Structure formats: C-alpha cells, structure tokens
C-alpha cells in the first residue's frame, strides 16, 4: 500500500508540475507577445515620423537586422523593403495590417511563417502623404522558446522530481503509519482516520462473531475429544485422500502413533497391508471390515465412507479390540466344558452306584459304602453348583450385598476355627496371628476370601505342614496374609491360578475334592472390595497370598 500511495503522489506531483509549467509557458508567451507587439508599435511610430520628415533618406541609414521595414504606397505597391527587392514583391493592399492602417491610420496582425517554426508580428501606420510604413519582427513559437530554455527546464524538472520523491515518500509513510498502528484485536479503541470507522466497526463485529464461533467450535471439539478420548475403541477420521483429521488416544495407541499425527497420511503412520486395502475399499464408496493383527493386539477394523452429494468426502475408521472378545469366548467355552466335565464324573459315579443298588448287585454289607459314595459325589456337585452361583453373583457386582464395618480378624478366627478339624485330618497345623482390624465390606464375601485361602493352604500342603493366617495393619491399609509350607506353584502357572477351573495338578485337585473355583471367588470378592492380591510361591517350599484392603 505504501508503494501505491508513493507512486500515486509522485504521478500527481509530476502531473501538476507539468501542467503548471505548460500553463506558465503559455501565459508568459502571451505576455511577451503583447510586450513585443507594444514595442513594435512604438518603433513603427518612430519610423513613420522619420520617413515623414526625411523621406527615403531616413530608411537608408537604419540598422534593420532585427526588424523588417516596408514602405507601401496607398495602392499597395511596395516602395521599399529592408530585406527584399521592392520591385519583385507582390501588392500588399490586401494585407490585414495595411488595410487597417489605410482605413484607421494604424493596423497590426500576426501570422506564422511557412516553416511554422516562427511567428511574425506586423505593425503598420499611415503617413500624412497616404503611404504606409510597416514594421515586422519574428517571434519564436512556444516550441522554439521551450527548446531555447530546455537546460533550465531540465534542471527545474530534476529538482521537482527529487523533491516529489522525497515528499512522496514521507507523505506515504505518514499516511500509512496510522494504518500500520491499528490494533485489530480491539478495533474500536483506534484513533485514526474517520473514514476508517465503518471498516473498524465491521471488523469488530466480525471478530465478535468469529470469537463466538471459535468458542462454540472449541466446546464441540472438547466434547468430541472427551467422548472419543474415553472410548476403548479406536476412532480415526480421515479425509478422502487418507489424511488424518482426528484420532483418539485408543487409536493412536493401537496404531503405534502419537496424538500429534494429525495432518499426516495414515499409511505413513501404519503400513499394514490390510489397512491399505480397507482404505481403498472405503475410498471407492464401499464399507469394509477386516480383523487385523496390530502392534497393540488383534483388532477388527471397520472403514465407512462419508458421502457428500454422492461423493466420498471422508472416511471413518473404527477399531475394535477383538482379543478380549475372543478371550471371553474362549473362557466361555472352557467354562462350559469344565462345568460339563466336573459334573459328568460325579454323575457317572452316582448313576453307577444307583444302578448297582437298583439291580441288587451290591452285597448288603457294601450298601452303606455305595450310599456314602453317592452322598459324597452329591455333596461335591452341590458345592460346585453353589460356587458357580456365587461366582455369577460376584460377576454381577454383588449389588444386593450391604457393606458394613467388619472386624477382619474376627472373621479369620471363625474360619480358622471351622477348618481346624479338616486341618487336623490333613496333618496340617493351622494358626492365626495379628490384631483386630476393621474393614468396610461385605462380611459374607470377606469370610469367603479367608475360608477359600485357608482351605487351599490345607489341601495343597503336606503332612506335618503349617498354614499361617495373619491379619495386620500397614499404614492405612489392612492386610490379610495366608502362608503355607505346601507344594508351591510353578512360575508358569502363577498368572492363571485365579482363572475358573484352572488347576496346577488336576489329579491332586480331584483327590482333595476341590472344585477349581475357590481362587476365582477370592479374586472377584477382592475386586468388589477394591483389594489387591499379591502372590509369592516357590515349588516345594510353599505359597504366600496377601490381600491388601486399602481405605
């Protein structure tokens, strides 16, 4: 803008200067013409007086290098001419100045020469004898005069040009300075040109609208980020060319990218062939899905085209972690198979014993033994069913249970007391140590945790072994610790012992009558109480399981 103002001021200045120069030259030319005409009139009067007094002799002694003197008779015949032979000259009776002089006593005129490079001024006066004396002088044209004073004109033009450049530069900067100093963040606070007030008011209005729209967009973006950021599923919004427009944390984690990958091609973030094929399908306007192995696990990718006026304007890519679903499906199948297997064995035993009794194939003295076998297997089935029901309730969150302040040491004492006969039968010494400690929880579930841990410590111990139960306080937490000197758990099994029906030694588990659900019940009950389970075990040396109840 400064350059345009500068050029405009320079052009205007030069135009005004040239116009002024032309006007001044025209005025001066007219002024000097009048002065020269007046001088010529005076000289004509003097020459007329001299010719009237002395006749032709007066003309012979005059220096006429700058003037041309012509003496003309009353009939227009040239009697004398200072520059030409009078006999060869035409009759001058029709010349304007001669006609006026013969008629009025004086006449004058101006005519251009045939070369058009000079102008001739004529002044004629009638003598007493009726003849006319005429003087003429050459007057240069404007072009001739301009060429004659070209050097000073060039100097003046140069000076004017320099001044125009300097002044134009300063004026342009001075004009633009208030514009450069405008505070567009607060347009109405500017003090400048009044002509800018409508523009500044419009800018202020638009800024308020933009600010309101930006706040609304930011609010919606925050809502979108809050919703998508808390999703476990990955969500990626792409342009029609595969450029990442938005990506949530889950998708960035699954693809092995950071949250600052917006604006990049998704294939530069992850070059999986299946992902590329999905995007090609979506770019063609077709919805596609595929299960893909990524760095974060196994995922189902769902690519849906976003259509606008029948053309693909973007792509929505959803990522579902199917590993948990497949794992849950596998656990469901395993659970069904385990339940069926666990029920099949006692049912076969009960069915076999009952069939023998029915067909009277059992000796009278063996009837009690077979009946006892049926009772034992039936009790085992009852325990199994009860454990399954208990786990189902725990899976539902145990919302029907009421939490209350419970002395964990007192619950442990009850469980230890109830298991003393079983411990004695197994040749295991079961002890309790610690001090009273209150826990906010469900007494039935807390008792189940203690009972199952103590029951396992007895069953998987060895004769003359020990099982120690300790309730203690560690800072603001209550810790239940059950340790034994039993067979221990191999390291490769320690991460799976809390799974349902998982047994380290299946033959021993069945021999001791376990259902394989005790530690699963412990795990779920601990989760309901936000408790942490820690396991330490060495094969042949024993196992220590700690349950830490935080405040």
């Amino acid at each position: 803008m400064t350059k345009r103002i500068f050029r405009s001021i320079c052009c205007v200045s030069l135009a005004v200067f040239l116009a002024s120069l032309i006007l001044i030259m025209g005025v001066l030319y007219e002024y000097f013409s009048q002065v020269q005409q007046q001088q010529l009139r005076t000289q004509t009067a003097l020459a007329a007086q001299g010719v009237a007094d002395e006749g032709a002799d007066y003309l012979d002694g005059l220096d006429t290098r700058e003037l041309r003197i012509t003496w003309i008779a009353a009939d227009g015949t040239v009697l004398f001419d200072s520059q030409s032979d009078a006999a060869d000259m035409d009759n001058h009776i029709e010349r304007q100045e001669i006609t006026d002089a013969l008629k009025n006593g004086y006449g004058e005129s101006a005519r251009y020469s045939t070369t058009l490079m000079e102008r001739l001024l004529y002044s004629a006066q009638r003598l007493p004898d009726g003849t006319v004396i005429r003087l003429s002088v050459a007057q240069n044209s404007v072009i001739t005069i301009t060429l004659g004073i070209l050097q000073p004109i060039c100097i003046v033009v140069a000076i004017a040009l320099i001044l125009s450049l300097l002044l134009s530069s300063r004026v342009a900067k001075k004009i633009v300075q208030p514009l450069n100093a405008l505070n567009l963040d607060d347009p109405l606070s500017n003090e400048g040109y009044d002509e800018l007030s409508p523009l500044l008011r419009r800018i202020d209005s638009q800024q308020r609208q933009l600010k309101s729209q930006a706040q609304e967009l930011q609010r919606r973006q925050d809502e979108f980020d809050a919703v998508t950021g808390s999703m476990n599923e990955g969500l990626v919004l792409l342009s029609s060319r595969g450029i990442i427009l938005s990506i949530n944390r889950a998708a960035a984690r699954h693809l092995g990218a950071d949250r600052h990958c917006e604006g990049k091609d998704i294939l530069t973030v992850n070059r999986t062939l299946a992902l590329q094929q999905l995007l090609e399908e979506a770019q063609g306007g077709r919805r596609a899905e595929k299960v893909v192995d990524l760095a974060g696990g196994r995922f189902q990718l769902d690519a849906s085209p976003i259509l606008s006026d029948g053309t693909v304007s973007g792509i929505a890519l959803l990522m579902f972690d199917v590993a948990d679903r497949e794992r849950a499906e596998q656990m469901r199948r395993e659970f069904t198979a385990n339940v069926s297997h666990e029920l099949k064995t006692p049912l076969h035993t009960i069915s076999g014993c009952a069939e023998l009794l029915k067909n009277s194939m059992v000796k009278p003295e063996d009837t009690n033994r077979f009946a006892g076998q049926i009772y034992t297997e039936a009790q085992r089935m009852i325990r199994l069913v009860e454990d399954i029901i208990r786990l189902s309730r725990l899976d539902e969150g145990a919302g029907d249970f009421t939490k209350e302040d419970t002395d964990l040491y007192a619950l442990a004492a009850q469980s230890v007391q109830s298991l003393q006969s079983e411990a004695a039968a197994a040749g295991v010494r079961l002890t309790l140590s610690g001090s009273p400690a209150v826990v906010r929880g469900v007494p039935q579930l807390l008792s189940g945790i203690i009972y199952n841990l103590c029951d396992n410590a007895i069953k998987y111990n060895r004769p003359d072994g020990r099982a120690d139960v300790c309730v203690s306080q560690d800072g603001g937490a209550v810790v239940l610790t059950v340790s034994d000197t039993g067979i221990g758990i191999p390291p490769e099994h320690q991460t799976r012992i809390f799974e349902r029906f998982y047994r380290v030694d299946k033959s021993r588990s069945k021999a001791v009558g376990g259902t394989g659900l005790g530690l699963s019940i412990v795990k779920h009950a601990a989760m309901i109480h936000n408790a942490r389970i820690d396991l330490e075990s060495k094969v042949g040396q024993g196992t220590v399981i700690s349950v830490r109840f935080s405040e």
Side-chain angles (χ1 to χ4, degrees):
M1 185 175 180
T2 304
K3 293 182 179 179
R4 294 184 64 182
I5 295 176
F6 173 76
R7 288 194 296 266
S8 299
I9 294 176
C10 286
C11 292
V12 170
S13 300
L14 291 177
V16 171
F17 174 75
L18 293 176
S20 301
L21 182 62
I22 292 173
L23 180 62
I24 291 172
M25 290 296 296
V27 172
L28 289 178
Y29 180 75
E30 186 63 27
Y31 171 75
F32 286 128
S33 296
Q34 293 177 2
V35 171
Q36 193 173 18
Q37 187 70 47
Q38 183 63 36
Q39 292 177 349
L40 185 61
R41 184 182 300 120
T42 301
Q43 292 173 347
T44 301
L46 293 174
Q49 184 65 40
V51 172
D53 294 340
E54 299 181 13
D57 294 338
Y58 177 77
L59 298 175
D60 292 338
L62 291 177
D63 184 4
T64 59
R65 288 176 298 179
E66 295 182 359
L67 295 174
R68 182 178 183 180
I69 302 176
T70 307
W71 190 14
I72 304 166
D75 59 358
T77 303
V78 178
L79 302 177
F80 173 82
D81 189 87
S82 61
Q83 295 183 359
S84 301
D85 187 358
D88 296 334
M89 297 181 66
D90 297 333
N91 191 288
H92 284 33
I93 192 63
E94 296 182 356
R95 304 292 173 88
Q96 179 66 40
E97 67 277 4
I98 302 301
T99 302
D100 292 342
L102 291 174
K103 182 179 179 180
N104 301 319
Y106 178 79
E108 61 184 29
S109 66
R111 292 189 294 277
Y112 283 96
S113 67
T114 56
T115 62
L116 297 178
M117 291 300 295
E118 61 181 9
R119 187 187 185 205
L120 296 177
L121 300 178
Y122 296 93
S123 177
Q125 184 172 337
R126 187 181 62 195
L127 300 180
D129 59 0
T131 59
V132 176
I133 192 72
R134 186 189 70 179
L135 274 67
S136 64
V137 65
Q139 183 185 27
N140 293 330
S141 64
V142 175
I143 297 176
T144 304
I145 294 174
T146 302
L147 293 176
I149 60 174
L150 183 61
Q151 182 176 358
I153 288 178
C154 290
I155 295 175
V156 173
V157 169
I159 295 174
L161 180 61
I162 294 173
L163 291 176
S164 297
L165 294 175
L166 294 176
L167 293 176
S168 299
S169 177
R170 294 190 61 183
V171 171
K173 291 179 179 179
K174 190 173 182 180
I175 292 175
V176 175
Q177 183 178 2
L179 300 179
N180 293 332
L182 289 177
N183 181 12
L184 297 181
D185 293 333
D186 188 9
L188 299 182
S189 66
N190 294 286
E191 295 181 0
Y193 303 115
D194 294 337
E195 293 78 5
L196 293 177
S197 297
L199 175 62
L200 294 176
R201 286 195 295 269
R202 183 68 178 272
I203 292 175
D204 181 69
S205 175
Q206 290 182 345
Q207 282 187 346
R208 288 198 300 270
Q209 294 178 2
L210 291 174
K211 185 177 181 180
S212 176
Q213 293 174 357
Q215 291 176 347
E216 179 65 18
L217 289 175
Q218 185 62 44
R219 183 184 66 80
R220 293 186 179 183
Q221 183 65 39
D222 292 341
E223 292 178 353
F224 180 79
D225 291 341
V227 171
T228 59
S230 60
M231 291 171 54
N232 292 327
E233 297 79 11
L235 174 62
V236 186
L237 299 180
L238 306 171
S239 69
S240 58
R241 296 182 299 167
I243 304 301
I244 299 175
L245 303 179
S246 177
I247 182 171
N248 66 349
R249 287 192 294 270
R253 183 173 63 253
H254 299 334
L255 294 174
D258 55 38
R259 291 298 306 279
H260 304 288
C261 61
E262 287 90 348
K264 297 181 181 179
D265 193 317
I266 191 171
L267 296 180
T268 64
V269 176
N270 190 290
R271 298 181 178 273
T272 304
L273 179 60
L275 176 60
Q276 182 177 356
Q277 294 173 347
L278 278 176
L279 294 180
E280 290 176 354
E281 291 285 331
Q283 288 170 343
R286 299 177 297 275
R287 181 178 177 274
E289 61 180 29
K290 185 173 294 188
V291 177
V292 179
D293 290 324
L294 298 176
R298 188 171 178 82
F299 299 90
Q300 176 181 325
L301 304 186
D302 188 339
S304 301
I306 301 174
L307 301 179
S308 176
D309 297 331
T311 60
V312 178
S313 60
I315 300 172
L317 180 63
L318 286 173
M319 310 174 67
F320 302 95
D321 188 351
V322 297
D324 292 339
R325 186 177 66 188
E326 293 178 350
R327 191 180 304 111
E329 181 65 21
Q330 179 65 25
M331 290 178 63
R332 185 188 65 79
R333 290 195 297 267
E334 291 180 355
F335 180 77
T336 303
N338 288 329
V339 169
S340 300
H341 179 74
E342 293 293 335
L343 291 175
K344 181 177 66 175
T345 301
L347 282 174
H348 283 177
T349 302
I350 293 172
S351 177
C353 292
E355 184 179 3
L356 292 174
L357 291 172
K358 176 184 176 183
N359 295 327
S360 301
M361 298 176 64
V362 179
K363 295 178 181 181
E365 61 271 18
D366 294 330
T367 301
N368 290 334
R369 182 169 62 84
F370 278 89
Q373 185 70 22
I374 292 174
Y375 176 79
T376 301
E377 295 298 334
Q379 290 298 315
R380 179 181 174 188
M381 290 177 60
I382 291 172
R383 290 196 301 273
L384 178 61
V385 172
E386 288 178 347
D387 285 347
I388 292 174
I389 293 174
R390 189 177 294 110
L391 270 177
S392 297
R393 293 184 64 187
L394 293 176
D395 284 338
E396 294 173 358
D400 55 339
F401 290 118
T402 302
K403 289 186 177 182
E404 58 185 57
D405 292 336
T406 304
D407 186 353
L408 194 63
Y409 183 83
L411 288 180
Q414 295 175 6
S415 298
V416 168
Q417 182 64 31
S418 64
L419 289 170
Q420 284 294 346
S421 59
E422 182 179 343
V428 176
R429 183 182 177 186
L430 179 62
T431 63
L432 172 65
S433 61
S435 60
V438 177
V439 174
R440 184 72 176 176
V442 181
Q444 300 94 314
L445 300 183
L446 295 174
S447 179
I449 293 174
I450 301 171
Y451 185 90
N452 281 288
L453 291 178
C454 293
D455 186 49
N456 280 353
I458 295 170
K459 289 179 179 178
Y460 299 100
N461 215 315
R462 57 172 177 262
D464 298 328
R466 289 177 55 85
D468 299 320
V469 181
C470 178
V471 178
S472 61
Q473 292 187 348
D474 183 9
V478 176
V479 181
L480 169 67
T481 305
V482 179
S483 59
D484 62 65
T485 58
I487 61 175
I489 304 171
E492 64 271 17
H493 296 286
Q494 291 181 10
T495 58
R496 301 194 59 189
I497 62 171
F498 292 97
E499 295 179 8
R500 301 175 186 187
F501 296 109
Y502 188 83
R503 294 183 175 92
V504 177
D505 187 347
K506 296 183 180 181
S507 60
R508 180 178 178 88
S509 297
K510 290 184 179 181
V512 298
T515 63
L517 296 175
L519 289 181
S520 294
I521 294 174
V522 171
K523 173 185 174 183
H524 285 75
M527 290 173 59
I528 290 175
H529 290 86
N530 296 322
R532 189 186 72 196
I533 301 177
D534 295 319
L535 170 67
E536 295 181 7
S537 182
K538 293 183 179 180
V539 177
Q541 297 183 19
T543 301
V544 178
I545 297 179
S546 299
V547 184
R548 185 182 187 88
F549 298 90
S550 300
E551 290 184 351

